[in-house]
Amino acid sequence: MSEATQPVPRLDRKTYAVFVLLAGIGIGNVQDAFIKEMSGAYPFHEMQTVRTAIGLILLLAIVANRFGMRALVTHYSPVLLTRGLFLGIGSMFFYLGLAAMTLADAVALYFALPLIIVVLSGTLIGERVRLSHWIAAAVGFAGVLIMLNPTSGLFEWAGLLPLTASVFYALGNMLTRKVDENVPPLITAAYAAMAFLLVAG
């Protein structure tokens, strides 16, 4: 095996994953700003349908090239579709919240996600939650509130929308742990995009 084709060491893969995740979050934040700007002119389902359809076409093209379309059938499981539906419903509530609140308020409430994951991971998937996890999630959420400096709109009824989004996102993220490790990430993403399109429809 040549040096170029050797697998990346596990530690390096974790570092790589962190940078990929940060890049994804950055792109997502830019997208959120655009959707907030357009939310007064276009309904949620139209924006979600267009953005998801474009992403799905690109994903399916890559899947077809790398694995063949049959891979979508051979790797199918109810977990993949359920995960996608949870994330799609979460996306719906978050973007409805964006239309009803300031971007800072909606994002501040969305960042309750780590706290919700800490609460649910112990009860739903039986993971051990240490005190350090609680402290890290709470300090992180407090830091987000300080940085974003949300307005009093945080406590209006519309605040339930991004909070509900956080719950569904947490459920979807936890289901990721139940996806077979042999399923390529591109297949997982394709099923999520199909579920997003279904929710938007």
Side-chain angles (χ1 to χ4, degrees):
M1 182 181 292
S2 68
E3 185 177 343
T5 58
Q6 288 180 351
V8 181
R10 189 170 184 82
L11 182 61
D12 290 344
R13 289 180 63 83
K14 287 183 179 180
T15 304
Y16 170 77
V18 168
F19 282 107
V20 170
L21 182 60
L22 288 175
I25 292 172
I27 293 170
N29 287 336
V30 173
Q31 173 188 255
D32 293 345
F34 275 111
I35 289 179
K36 172 63 179 174
E37 183 67 24
M38 295 187 298
S39 62
Y42 299 96
F44 159 79
H45 66 279
E46 287 185 9
M47 292 187 291
Q48 185 80 317
T49 298
V50 171
R51 82 180 187 94
T52 305
I54 293 172
L56 181 58
I57 291 170
L58 294 174
L59 274 170
L60 291 179
I62 298 172
V63 168
N65 180 60
R66 294 191 60 179
F67 310 108
M69 293 299 288
R70 186 168 178 76
L72 290 170
V73 178
T74 57
H75 287 293
Y76 169 77
S77 75
V79 173
L80 284 174
L81 189 57
T82 304
R83 172 187 176 274
L85 288 172
F86 279 147
L87 295 175
I89 294 170
S91 177
M92 176 186 71
F93 278 107
F94 179 70
Y95 288 129
L96 290 175
L98 273 186
M101 309 175 70
T102 67
L103 180 60
D105 287 347
V107 171
L109 287 169
Y110 166 75
F111 271 96
L113 178 62
L115 282 172
I116 295 172
I117 288 178
V118 167
V119 171
L120 295 181
S121 62
T123 56
L124 294 183
I125 59 177
E127 290 196 351
R128 181 184 176 188
V129 181
R130 298 185 177 89
L131 178 60
S132 59
H133 296 155
W134 285 101
I135 294 173
V139 170
F141 184 54
V144 168
L145 292 180
I146 292 171
M147 286 188 297
L148 292 175
N149 190 25
T151 69
S152 59
L154 200 69
F155 305 102
E156 296 177 355
W157 68 268
L160 293 174
L161 295 169
L163 275 178
T164 303
S166 295
V167 172
F168 279 99
Y169 277 133
L171 292 170
N173 285 324
M174 284 189 291
L175 272 181
T176 304
R177 300 293 296 271
K178 301 297 183 181
V179 175
D180 190 320
E181 63 180 13
N182 294 317
V183 177
L186 283 169
I187 301 293
T188 303
Y191 271 101
M194 287 187 278
F196 272 50
L197 198 58
L198 180 63
V199 172

